PDB file of all heavy atoms in Angstrom:
ATOM      1  N   MET H 102      32.086  -3.809  -3.245  1.00  0.00           N
ATOM      2  CA  MET H 102      31.680  -4.354  -1.931  1.00  0.00           C
ATOM      3  C   MET H 102      30.199  -4.718  -1.939  1.00  0.00           C
ATOM      4  O   MET H 102      29.795  -5.736  -1.381  1.00  0.00           O
ATOM      5  CB  MET H 102      31.963  -3.343  -0.821  1.00  0.00           C
ATOM      6  CG  MET H 102      33.442  -3.171  -0.485  1.00  0.00           C
ATOM      7  SD  MET H 102      34.216  -4.697   0.130  1.00  0.00           S
ATOM      8  CE  MET H 102      35.048  -5.294  -1.364  1.00  0.00           C
ATOM      9  N   ILE H 128      24.436  -7.825  11.510  1.00  0.00           N
ATOM     10  CA  ILE H 128      25.536  -7.417  12.407  1.00  0.00           C
ATOM     11  C   ILE H 128      26.399  -6.371  11.733  1.00  0.00           C
ATOM     12  O   ILE H 128      27.317  -5.833  12.332  1.00  0.00           O
ATOM     13  CB  ILE H 128      26.403  -8.613  12.828  1.00  0.00           C
ATOM     14  CG1 ILE H 128      27.209  -9.180  11.646  1.00  0.00           C
ATOM     15  CG2 ILE H 128      25.582  -9.710  13.501  1.00  0.00           C
ATOM     16  CD1 ILE H 128      28.290 -10.157  12.060  1.00  0.00           C
ATOM     17  N   SER H 129      26.111  -6.059  10.450  1.00  0.00           N
ATOM     18  CA  SER H 129      26.930  -5.096   9.723  1.00  0.00           C
ATOM     19  C   SER H 129      27.005  -3.734  10.419  1.00  0.00           C
ATOM     20  O   SER H 129      28.063  -3.100  10.391  1.00  0.00           O
ATOM     21  CB  SER H 129      26.448  -4.941   8.281  1.00  0.00           C
ATOM     22  OG  SER H 129      25.100  -4.549   8.205  1.00  0.00           O
ATOM     23  N   PRO H 130      25.905  -3.200  11.044  1.00  0.00           N
ATOM     24  CA  PRO H 130      26.054  -1.921  11.767  1.00  0.00           C
ATOM     25  C   PRO H 130      27.074  -1.986  12.881  1.00  0.00           C
ATOM     26  O   PRO H 130      27.756  -0.985  13.184  1.00  0.00           O
ATOM     27  CB  PRO H 130      24.653  -1.664  12.321  1.00  0.00           C
ATOM     28  CG  PRO H 130      23.731  -2.428  11.418  1.00  0.00           C
ATOM     29  CD  PRO H 130      24.500  -3.649  11.045  1.00  0.00           C
ATOM     30  N   LEU H 131      27.220  -3.166  13.523  1.00  0.00           N
ATOM     31  CA  LEU H 131      28.240  -3.318  14.554  1.00  0.00           C
ATOM     32  C   LEU H 131      29.635  -3.288  13.932  1.00  0.00           C
ATOM     33  O   LEU H 131      30.569  -2.697  14.508  1.00  0.00           O
ATOM     34  CB  LEU H 131      28.027  -4.652  15.266  1.00  0.00           C
ATOM     35  CG  LEU H 131      26.609  -4.892  15.848  1.00  0.00           C
ATOM     36  CD1 LEU H 131      26.504  -6.278  16.456  1.00  0.00           C
ATOM     37  CD2 LEU H 131      26.259  -3.829  16.868  1.00  0.00           C
ATOM     38  N   LEU H 132      29.781  -3.907  12.755  1.00  0.00           N
ATOM     39  CA  LEU H 132      31.065  -3.865  12.060  1.00  0.00           C
ATOM     40  C   LEU H 132      31.378  -2.459  11.572  1.00  0.00           C
ATOM     41  O   LEU H 132      32.537  -2.042  11.537  1.00  0.00           O
ATOM     42  CB  LEU H 132      31.059  -4.860  10.903  1.00  0.00           C
ATOM     43  CG  LEU H 132      30.929  -6.328  11.281  1.00  0.00           C
ATOM     44  CD1 LEU H 132      30.794  -7.194  10.030  1.00  0.00           C
ATOM     45  CD2 LEU H 132      32.119  -6.783  12.092  1.00  0.00           C
ATOM     46  N   VAL H 133      30.315  -1.721  11.145  1.00  0.00           N
ATOM     47  CA  VAL H 133      30.506  -0.343  10.698  1.00  0.00           C
ATOM     48  C   VAL H 133      31.143   0.480  11.814  1.00  0.00           C
ATOM     49  O   VAL H 133      32.039   1.282  11.575  1.00  0.00           O
ATOM     50  CB  VAL H 133      29.175   0.290  10.257  1.00  0.00           C
ATOM     51  CG1 VAL H 133      29.306   1.803  10.086  1.00  0.00           C
ATOM     52  CG2 VAL H 133      28.707  -0.326   8.937  1.00  0.00           C
ATOM     53  N   ALA H 134      30.660   0.281  13.052  1.00  0.00           N
ATOM     54  CA  ALA H 134      31.221   1.005  14.178  1.00  0.00           C
ATOM     55  C   ALA H 134      32.694   0.712  14.345  1.00  0.00           C
ATOM     56  O   ALA H 134      33.510   1.595  14.720  1.00  0.00           O
ATOM     57  CB  ALA H 134      30.439   0.650  15.458  1.00  0.00           C
ATOM     58  N   LEU H 135      33.102  -0.553  14.071  1.00  0.00           N
ATOM     59  CA  LEU H 135      34.513  -0.909  14.167  1.00  0.00           C
ATOM     60  C   LEU H 135      35.322  -0.295  13.025  1.00  0.00           C
ATOM     61  O   LEU H 135      36.419   0.265  13.238  1.00  0.00           O
ATOM     62  CB  LEU H 135      34.658  -2.423  14.136  1.00  0.00           C
ATOM     63  CG  LEU H 135      34.152  -3.224  15.338  1.00  0.00           C
ATOM     64  CD1 LEU H 135      34.324  -4.707  15.088  1.00  0.00           C
ATOM     65  CD2 LEU H 135      34.906  -2.815  16.603  1.00  0.00           C
ATOM     66  N   PHE H 136      34.811  -0.393  11.797  1.00  0.00           N
ATOM     67  CA  PHE H 136      35.538   0.089  10.637  1.00  0.00           C
ATOM     68  C   PHE H 136      35.589   1.610  10.568  1.00  0.00           C
ATOM     69  O   PHE H 136      36.507   2.201   9.988  1.00  0.00           O
ATOM     70  CB  PHE H 136      34.903  -0.450   9.344  1.00  0.00           C
ATOM     71  CG  PHE H 136      34.972  -1.944   9.205  1.00  0.00           C
ATOM     72  CD1 PHE H 136      34.064  -2.631   8.411  1.00  0.00           C
ATOM     73  CD2 PHE H 136      35.954  -2.662   9.848  1.00  0.00           C
ATOM     74  CE1 PHE H 136      34.130  -3.991   8.285  1.00  0.00           C
ATOM     75  CE2 PHE H 136      36.029  -4.052   9.714  1.00  0.00           C
ATOM     76  CZ  PHE H 136      35.105  -4.712   8.944  1.00  0.00           C
ATOM     77  N   ALA H 137      34.568   2.270  11.157  1.00  0.00           N
ATOM     78  CA  ALA H 137      34.499   3.722  11.063  1.00  0.00           C
ATOM     79  C   ALA H 137      35.669   4.391  11.770  1.00  0.00           C
ATOM     80  O   ALA H 137      36.044   5.525  11.414  1.00  0.00           O
ATOM     81  CB  ALA H 137      33.170   4.246  11.647  1.00  0.00           C
ATOM     82  N   GLY H 138      36.256   3.720  12.769  1.00  0.00           N
ATOM     83  CA  GLY H 138      37.415   4.279  13.448  1.00  0.00           C
ATOM     84  C   GLY H 138      38.594   4.491  12.537  1.00  0.00           C
ATOM     85  O   GLY H 138      39.011   5.627  12.272  1.00  0.00           O
ATOM     86  N   PRO H 139      39.169   3.381  11.985  1.00  0.00           N
ATOM     87  CA  PRO H 139      40.338   3.564  11.120  1.00  0.00           C
ATOM     88  C   PRO H 139      40.047   4.207   9.788  1.00  0.00           C
ATOM     89  O   PRO H 139      40.927   4.855   9.205  1.00  0.00           O
ATOM     90  CB  PRO H 139      40.832   2.115  10.932  1.00  0.00           C
ATOM     91  CG  PRO H 139      39.638   1.237  11.190  1.00  0.00           C
ATOM     92  CD  PRO H 139      38.830   1.967  12.226  1.00  0.00           C
ATOM     93  N   ILE H 140      38.824   4.080   9.252  1.00  0.00           N
ATOM     94  CA  ILE H 140      38.530   4.605   7.897  1.00  0.00           C
ATOM     95  C   ILE H 140      37.998   6.031   7.957  1.00  0.00           C
ATOM     96  O   ILE H 140      38.396   6.885   7.162  1.00  0.00           O
ATOM     97  CB  ILE H 140      37.505   3.691   7.178  1.00  0.00           C
ATOM     98  CG1 ILE H 140      38.104   2.299   6.983  1.00  0.00           C
ATOM     99  CG2 ILE H 140      37.127   4.288   5.818  1.00  0.00           C
ATOM    100  CD1 ILE H 140      37.139   1.292   6.351  1.00  0.00           C
ATOM    101  N   LEU H 141      37.120   6.336   8.906  1.00  0.00           N
ATOM    102  CA  LEU H 141      36.502   7.643   8.995  1.00  0.00           C
ATOM    103  C   LEU H 141      37.023   8.490  10.131  1.00  0.00           C
ATOM    104  O   LEU H 141      36.660   9.657  10.254  1.00  0.00           O
ATOM    105  CB  LEU H 141      34.976   7.505   9.123  1.00  0.00           C
ATOM    106  CG  LEU H 141      34.252   6.787   7.986  1.00  0.00           C
ATOM    107  CD1 LEU H 141      32.763   6.660   8.315  1.00  0.00           C
ATOM    108  CD2 LEU H 141      34.458   7.519   6.665  1.00  0.00           C
ATOM    109  N   GLY H 142      37.851   7.901  11.000  1.00  0.00           N
ATOM    110  CA  GLY H 142      38.377   8.646  12.116  1.00  0.00           C
ATOM    111  C   GLY H 142      37.369   8.856  13.237  1.00  0.00           C
ATOM    112  O   GLY H 142      37.540   9.772  14.067  1.00  0.00           O
ATOM    113  N   GLU H 143      36.327   8.016  13.310  1.00  0.00           N
ATOM    114  CA  GLU H 143      35.318   8.154  14.352  1.00  0.00           C
ATOM    115  C   GLU H 143      35.730   7.299  15.569  1.00  0.00           C
ATOM    116  O   GLU H 143      36.155   6.166  15.424  1.00  0.00           O
ATOM    117  CB  GLU H 143      33.955   7.698  13.847  1.00  0.00           C
ATOM    118  CG  GLU H 143      33.430   8.571  12.706  1.00  0.00           C
ATOM    119  CD  GLU H 143      32.106   8.052  12.161  1.00  0.00           C
ATOM    120  OE1 GLU H 143      31.593   7.066  12.702  1.00  0.00           O
ATOM    121  OE2 GLU H 143      31.597   8.644  11.177  1.00  0.00           O
ATOM    122  N   LYS H 144      35.542   7.847  16.754  1.00  0.00           N
ATOM    123  CA  LYS H 144      35.909   7.163  17.985  1.00  0.00           C
ATOM    124  C   LYS H 144      34.787   6.213  18.404  1.00  0.00           C
ATOM    125  O   LYS H 144      33.630   6.579  18.379  1.00  0.00           O
ATOM    126  CB  LYS H 144      36.187   8.179  19.081  1.00  0.00           C
ATOM    127  CG  LYS H 144      36.661   7.543  20.389  1.00  0.00           C
ATOM    128  CD  LYS H 144      36.935   8.591  21.445  1.00  0.00           C
ATOM    129  CE  LYS H 144      37.386   7.955  22.755  1.00  0.00           C
ATOM    130  NZ  LYS H 144      37.658   8.986  23.801  1.00  0.00           N
ATOM    131  N   VAL H 145      35.167   5.003  18.804  1.00  0.00           N
ATOM    132  CA  VAL H 145      34.209   4.045  19.314  1.00  0.00           C
ATOM    133  C   VAL H 145      34.125   4.175  20.848  1.00  0.00           C
ATOM    134  O   VAL H 145      35.113   3.996  21.525  1.00  0.00           O
ATOM    135  CB  VAL H 145      34.615   2.596  18.944  1.00  0.00           C
ATOM    136  CG1 VAL H 145      33.596   1.609  19.474  1.00  0.00           C
ATOM    137  CG2 VAL H 145      34.754   2.466  17.437  1.00  0.00           C
ATOM    138  N   GLN H 149      29.344   1.810  22.772  1.00  0.00           N
ATOM    139  CA  GLN H 149      29.326   1.139  21.486  1.00  0.00           C
ATOM    140  C   GLN H 149      30.064  -0.192  21.541  1.00  0.00           C
ATOM    141  O   GLN H 149      29.613  -1.178  20.942  1.00  0.00           O
ATOM    142  CB  GLN H 149      29.949   2.050  20.421  1.00  0.00           C
ATOM    143  CG  GLN H 149      29.087   3.241  20.059  1.00  0.00           C
ATOM    144  CD  GLN H 149      29.800   4.194  19.092  1.00  0.00           C
ATOM    145  OE1 GLN H 149      30.955   4.558  19.312  1.00  0.00           O
ATOM    146  NE2 GLN H 149      29.097   4.603  18.054  1.00  0.00           N
ATOM    147  N   TRP H 150      31.181  -0.226  22.268  1.00  0.00           N
ATOM    148  CA  TRP H 150      31.885  -1.482  22.404  1.00  0.00           C
ATOM    149  C   TRP H 150      31.014  -2.542  23.085  1.00  0.00           C
ATOM    150  O   TRP H 150      31.028  -3.724  22.686  1.00  0.00           O
ATOM    151  CB  TRP H 150      33.174  -1.293  23.236  1.00  0.00           C
ATOM    152  CG  TRP H 150      34.337  -0.804  22.430  1.00  0.00           C
ATOM    153  CD1 TRP H 150      34.977   0.384  22.512  1.00  0.00           C
ATOM    154  CD2 TRP H 150      35.020  -1.550  21.416  1.00  0.00           C
ATOM    155  NE1 TRP H 150      36.008   0.457  21.611  1.00  0.00           N
ATOM    156  CE2 TRP H 150      36.074  -0.697  20.927  1.00  0.00           C
ATOM    157  CE3 TRP H 150      34.877  -2.805  20.853  1.00  0.00           C
ATOM    158  CZ2 TRP H 150      36.941  -1.104  19.916  1.00  0.00           C
ATOM    159  CZ3 TRP H 150      35.732  -3.215  19.832  1.00  0.00           C
ATOM    160  CH2 TRP H 150      36.747  -2.349  19.372  1.00  0.00           C
ATOM    161  N   ILE H 153      28.581  -3.861  20.596  1.00  0.00           N
ATOM    162  CA  ILE H 153      29.258  -4.731  19.610  1.00  0.00           C
ATOM    163  C   ILE H 153      29.477  -6.115  20.193  1.00  0.00           C
ATOM    164  O   ILE H 153      29.201  -7.130  19.559  1.00  0.00           O
ATOM    165  CB  ILE H 153      30.591  -4.092  19.173  1.00  0.00           C
ATOM    166  CG1 ILE H 153      30.335  -2.838  18.336  1.00  0.00           C
ATOM    167  CG2 ILE H 153      31.427  -5.095  18.399  1.00  0.00           C
ATOM    168  CD1 ILE H 153      31.557  -2.000  18.094  1.00  0.00           C
ATOM    169  N   PHE H 157      27.714  -9.730  18.963  1.00  0.00           N
ATOM    170  CA  PHE H 157      28.451 -10.939  18.563  1.00  0.00           C
ATOM    171  C   PHE H 157      28.121 -12.141  19.463  1.00  0.00           C
ATOM    172  O   PHE H 157      28.241 -13.280  19.048  1.00  0.00           O
ATOM    173  CB  PHE H 157      29.952 -10.669  18.555  1.00  0.00           C
ATOM    174  CG  PHE H 157      30.415  -9.999  17.285  1.00  0.00           C
ATOM    175  CD1 PHE H 157      30.647  -8.633  17.277  1.00  0.00           C
ATOM    176  CD2 PHE H 157      30.538 -10.688  16.100  1.00  0.00           C
ATOM    177  CE1 PHE H 157      31.030  -8.001  16.110  1.00  0.00           C
ATOM    178  CE2 PHE H 157      30.915 -10.059  14.935  1.00  0.00           C
ATOM    179  CZ  PHE H 157      31.174  -8.694  14.935  1.00  0.00           C
ATOM    180  N   LEU H 179      28.742 -14.230   7.211  1.00  0.00           N
ATOM    181  CA  LEU H 179      29.678 -13.298   7.875  1.00  0.00           C
ATOM    182  C   LEU H 179      30.473 -12.514   6.839  1.00  0.00           C
ATOM    183  O   LEU H 179      30.728 -11.326   7.026  1.00  0.00           O
ATOM    184  CB  LEU H 179      30.619 -14.061   8.799  1.00  0.00           C
ATOM    185  CG  LEU H 179      29.975 -14.643  10.065  1.00  0.00           C
ATOM    186  CD1 LEU H 179      30.972 -15.506  10.833  1.00  0.00           C
ATOM    187  CD2 LEU H 179      29.461 -13.524  10.941  1.00  0.00           C
ATOM    188  N   ALA H 180      30.869 -13.181   5.740  1.00  0.00           N
ATOM    189  CA  ALA H 180      31.575 -12.488   4.657  1.00  0.00           C
ATOM    190  C   ALA H 180      30.689 -11.414   4.058  1.00  0.00           C
ATOM    191  O   ALA H 180      31.165 -10.296   3.724  1.00  0.00           O
ATOM    192  CB  ALA H 180      32.024 -13.489   3.599  1.00  0.00           C
ATOM    193  N   CYS H 181      29.412 -11.707   3.896  1.00  0.00           N
ATOM    194  CA  CYS H 181      28.442 -10.726   3.408  1.00  0.00           C
ATOM    195  C   CYS H 181      28.389  -9.540   4.350  1.00  0.00           C
ATOM    196  O   CYS H 181      28.395  -8.383   3.914  1.00  0.00           O
ATOM    197  CB  CYS H 181      27.073 -11.349   3.276  1.00  0.00           C
ATOM    198  SG  CYS H 181      25.739 -10.160   2.985  1.00  0.00           S
ATOM    199  N   SER H 182      28.369  -9.795   5.662  1.00  0.00           N
ATOM    200  CA  SER H 182      28.284  -8.710   6.653  1.00  0.00           C
ATOM    201  C   SER H 182      29.520  -7.798   6.580  1.00  0.00           C
ATOM    202  O   SER H 182      29.390  -6.584   6.671  1.00  0.00           O
ATOM    203  CB  SER H 182      28.174  -9.297   8.069  1.00  0.00           C
ATOM    204  OG  SER H 182      27.030 -10.069   8.189  1.00  0.00           O
ATOM    205  N   VAL H 183      30.688  -8.381   6.411  1.00  0.00           N
ATOM    206  CA  VAL H 183      31.910  -7.604   6.302  1.00  0.00           C
ATOM    207  C   VAL H 183      31.880  -6.721   5.069  1.00  0.00           C
ATOM    208  O   VAL H 183      32.180  -5.526   5.129  1.00  0.00           O
ATOM    209  CB  VAL H 183      33.149  -8.506   6.292  1.00  0.00           C
ATOM    210  CG1 VAL H 183      34.418  -7.711   5.987  1.00  0.00           C
ATOM    211  CG2 VAL H 183      33.311  -9.248   7.643  1.00  0.00           C
ATOM    212  N   CYS H 184      31.540  -7.315   3.941  1.00  0.00           N
ATOM    213  CA  CYS H 184      31.472  -6.537   2.688  1.00  0.00           C
ATOM    214  C   CYS H 184      30.413  -5.439   2.765  1.00  0.00           C
ATOM    215  O   CYS H 184      30.647  -4.323   2.333  1.00  0.00           O
ATOM    216  CB  CYS H 184      31.159  -7.459   1.498  1.00  0.00           C
ATOM    217  SG  CYS H 184      32.466  -8.620   1.087  1.00  0.00           S
ATOM    218  N   TYR H 185      29.268  -5.770   3.374  1.00  0.00           N
ATOM    219  CA  TYR H 185      28.194  -4.780   3.466  1.00  0.00           C
ATOM    220  C   TYR H 185      28.559  -3.658   4.412  1.00  0.00           C
ATOM    221  O   TYR H 185      28.207  -2.484   4.209  1.00  0.00           O
ATOM    222  CB  TYR H 185      26.893  -5.454   3.896  1.00  0.00           C
ATOM    223  CG  TYR H 185      25.684  -4.550   3.762  1.00  0.00           C
ATOM    224  CD1 TYR H 185      25.404  -3.908   2.575  1.00  0.00           C
ATOM    225  CD2 TYR H 185      24.836  -4.339   4.839  1.00  0.00           C
ATOM    226  CE1 TYR H 185      24.299  -3.080   2.433  1.00  0.00           C
ATOM    227  CE2 TYR H 185      23.738  -3.504   4.716  1.00  0.00           C
ATOM    228  CZ  TYR H 185      23.472  -2.872   3.521  1.00  0.00           C
ATOM    229  OH  TYR H 185      22.394  -2.045   3.403  1.00  0.00           O
ATOM    230  N   ALA H 186      29.285  -3.982   5.495  1.00  0.00           N
ATOM    231  CA  ALA H 186      29.746  -2.943   6.417  1.00  0.00           C
ATOM    232  C   ALA H 186      30.721  -1.987   5.722  1.00  0.00           C
ATOM    233  O   ALA H 186      30.632  -0.758   5.886  1.00  0.00           O
ATOM    234  CB  ALA H 186      30.402  -3.592   7.628  1.00  0.00           C
ATOM    235  N   LEU H 187      31.648  -2.526   4.956  1.00  0.00           N
ATOM    236  CA  LEU H 187      32.580  -1.688   4.199  1.00  0.00           C
ATOM    237  C   LEU H 187      31.836  -0.837   3.181  1.00  0.00           C
ATOM    238  O   LEU H 187      32.166   0.323   2.962  1.00  0.00           O
ATOM    239  CB  LEU H 187      33.632  -2.565   3.505  1.00  0.00           C
ATOM    240  CG  LEU H 187      34.641  -3.230   4.428  1.00  0.00           C
ATOM    241  CD1 LEU H 187      35.477  -4.240   3.649  1.00  0.00           C
ATOM    242  CD2 LEU H 187      35.531  -2.185   5.074  1.00  0.00           C
ATOM    243  N   TYR H 188      30.822  -1.422   2.565  1.00  0.00           N
ATOM    244  CA  TYR H 188      29.971  -0.685   1.621  1.00  0.00           C
ATOM    245  C   TYR H 188      29.296   0.520   2.313  1.00  0.00           C
ATOM    246  O   TYR H 188      29.275   1.625   1.769  1.00  0.00           O
ATOM    247  CB  TYR H 188      28.920  -1.638   1.061  1.00  0.00           C
ATOM    248  CG  TYR H 188      27.725  -0.979   0.418  1.00  0.00           C
ATOM    249  CD1 TYR H 188      27.766  -0.490  -0.879  1.00  0.00           C
ATOM    250  CD2 TYR H 188      26.508  -0.867   1.121  1.00  0.00           C
ATOM    251  CE1 TYR H 188      26.651   0.111  -1.465  1.00  0.00           C
ATOM    252  CE2 TYR H 188      25.396  -0.279   0.549  1.00  0.00           C
ATOM    253  CZ  TYR H 188      25.481   0.202  -0.746  1.00  0.00           C
ATOM    254  OH  TYR H 188      24.380   0.794  -1.331  1.00  0.00           O
ATOM    255  N   GLN H 189      28.796   0.302   3.528  1.00  0.00           N
ATOM    256  CA  GLN H 189      28.141   1.401   4.254  1.00  0.00           C
ATOM    257  C   GLN H 189      29.129   2.487   4.660  1.00  0.00           C
ATOM    258  O   GLN H 189      28.827   3.685   4.574  1.00  0.00           O
ATOM    259  CB  GLN H 189      27.453   0.834   5.496  1.00  0.00           C
ATOM    260  CG  GLN H 189      26.259  -0.042   5.187  1.00  0.00           C
ATOM    261  CD  GLN H 189      25.622  -0.592   6.454  1.00  0.00           C
ATOM    262  OE1 GLN H 189      24.875   0.100   7.130  1.00  0.00           O
ATOM    263  NE2 GLN H 189      25.895  -1.827   6.776  1.00  0.00           N
ATOM    264  N   VAL H 190      30.316   2.079   5.114  1.00  0.00           N
ATOM    265  CA  VAL H 190      31.332   3.054   5.500  1.00  0.00           C
ATOM    266  C   VAL H 190      31.745   3.896   4.284  1.00  0.00           C
ATOM    267  O   VAL H 190      31.875   5.124   4.372  1.00  0.00           O
ATOM    268  CB  VAL H 190      32.566   2.350   6.122  1.00  0.00           C
ATOM    269  CG1 VAL H 190      33.702   3.346   6.319  1.00  0.00           C
ATOM    270  CG2 VAL H 190      32.176   1.703   7.439  1.00  0.00           C
ATOM    271  N   LEU H 191      31.940   3.244   3.162  1.00  0.00           N
ATOM    272  CA  LEU H 191      32.313   3.964   1.934  1.00  0.00           C
ATOM    273  C   LEU H 191      31.183   4.869   1.463  1.00  0.00           C
ATOM    274  O   LEU H 191      31.423   5.946   0.917  1.00  0.00           O
ATOM    275  CB  LEU H 191      32.713   2.967   0.851  1.00  0.00           C
ATOM    276  CG  LEU H 191      34.000   2.215   1.087  1.00  0.00           C
ATOM    277  CD1 LEU H 191      34.177   1.082   0.069  1.00  0.00           C
ATOM    278  CD2 LEU H 191      35.205   3.160   1.012  1.00  0.00           C
ATOM    279  N   ARG H 193      29.068   6.461   3.434  1.00  0.00           N
ATOM    280  CA  ARG H 193      29.150   7.642   4.277  1.00  0.00           C
ATOM    281  C   ARG H 193      30.285   8.569   3.830  1.00  0.00           C
ATOM    282  O   ARG H 193      30.178   9.781   3.920  1.00  0.00           O
ATOM    283  CB  ARG H 193      29.334   7.205   5.731  1.00  0.00           C
ATOM    284  CG  ARG H 193      28.056   6.706   6.352  1.00  0.00           C
ATOM    285  CD  ARG H 193      28.263   5.900   7.608  1.00  0.00           C
ATOM    286  NE  ARG H 193      29.017   6.605   8.640  1.00  0.00           N
ATOM    287  CZ  ARG H 193      29.225   6.107   9.859  1.00  0.00           C
ATOM    288  NH1 ARG H 193      28.768   4.926  10.174  1.00  0.00           N
ATOM    289  NH2 ARG H 193      29.909   6.801  10.755  1.00  0.00           N
ATOM    290  N   LYS H 194      31.349   7.961   3.335  1.00  0.00           N
ATOM    291  CA  LYS H 194      32.510   8.760   2.895  1.00  0.00           C
ATOM    292  C   LYS H 194      32.243   9.458   1.567  1.00  0.00           C
ATOM    293  O   LYS H 194      32.771  10.540   1.300  1.00  0.00           O
ATOM    294  CB  LYS H 194      33.723   7.842   2.777  1.00  0.00           C
ATOM    295  CG  LYS H 194      35.076   8.557   2.776  1.00  0.00           C
ATOM    296  CD  LYS H 194      36.197   7.540   2.843  1.00  0.00           C
ATOM    297  CE  LYS H 194      37.554   8.243   2.911  1.00  0.00           C
ATOM    298  NZ  LYS H 194      37.747   8.963   4.176  1.00  0.00           N
ATOM    299  N   LEU H 304      22.515   0.656  18.665  1.00  0.00           N
ATOM    300  CA  LEU H 304      23.636   1.390  18.079  1.00  0.00           C
ATOM    301  C   LEU H 304      23.143   2.406  17.064  1.00  0.00           C
ATOM    302  O   LEU H 304      23.649   3.537  17.014  1.00  0.00           O
ATOM    303  CB  LEU H 304      24.606   0.390  17.433  1.00  0.00           C
ATOM    304  CG  LEU H 304      25.909   0.975  16.866  1.00  0.00           C
ATOM    305  CD1 LEU H 304      26.702   1.652  17.965  1.00  0.00           C
ATOM    306  CD2 LEU H 304      26.747  -0.127  16.204  1.00  0.00           C
ATOM    307  N   GLN H 308      23.759   6.380  17.338  1.00  0.00           N
ATOM    308  CA  GLN H 308      24.410   7.139  16.288  1.00  0.00           C
ATOM    309  C   GLN H 308      23.506   8.242  15.774  1.00  0.00           C
ATOM    310  O   GLN H 308      23.945   9.359  15.535  1.00  0.00           O
ATOM    311  CB  GLN H 308      24.810   6.205  15.139  1.00  0.00           C
ATOM    312  CG  GLN H 308      25.924   5.269  15.499  1.00  0.00           C
ATOM    313  CD  GLN H 308      26.188   4.247  14.401  1.00  0.00           C
ATOM    314  OE1 GLN H 308      25.300   3.825  13.693  1.00  0.00           O
ATOM    315  NE2 GLN H 308      27.437   3.845  14.263  1.00  0.00           N
TER     316      GLN H 308
END
Side-chain angles (χ1 to χ4, degrees):
M102 288 298 99
I128 69 168
S129 58
L131 307 176
L132 296 175
V133 167
L135 292 177
F136 296 155
I140 297 176
L141 300 177
E143 297 177 2
K144 184 179 179 180
V145 181
Q149 288 174 313
W150 276 114
I153 291 169
F157 279 101
L179 290 174
C181 169
S182 299
V183 171
C184 291
Y185 191 53
L187 290 171
Y188 162 81
Q189 292 179 78
V190 172
L191 291 170
R193 284 163 56 176
K194 199 173 183 67
L304 185 59
Q308 290 173 328

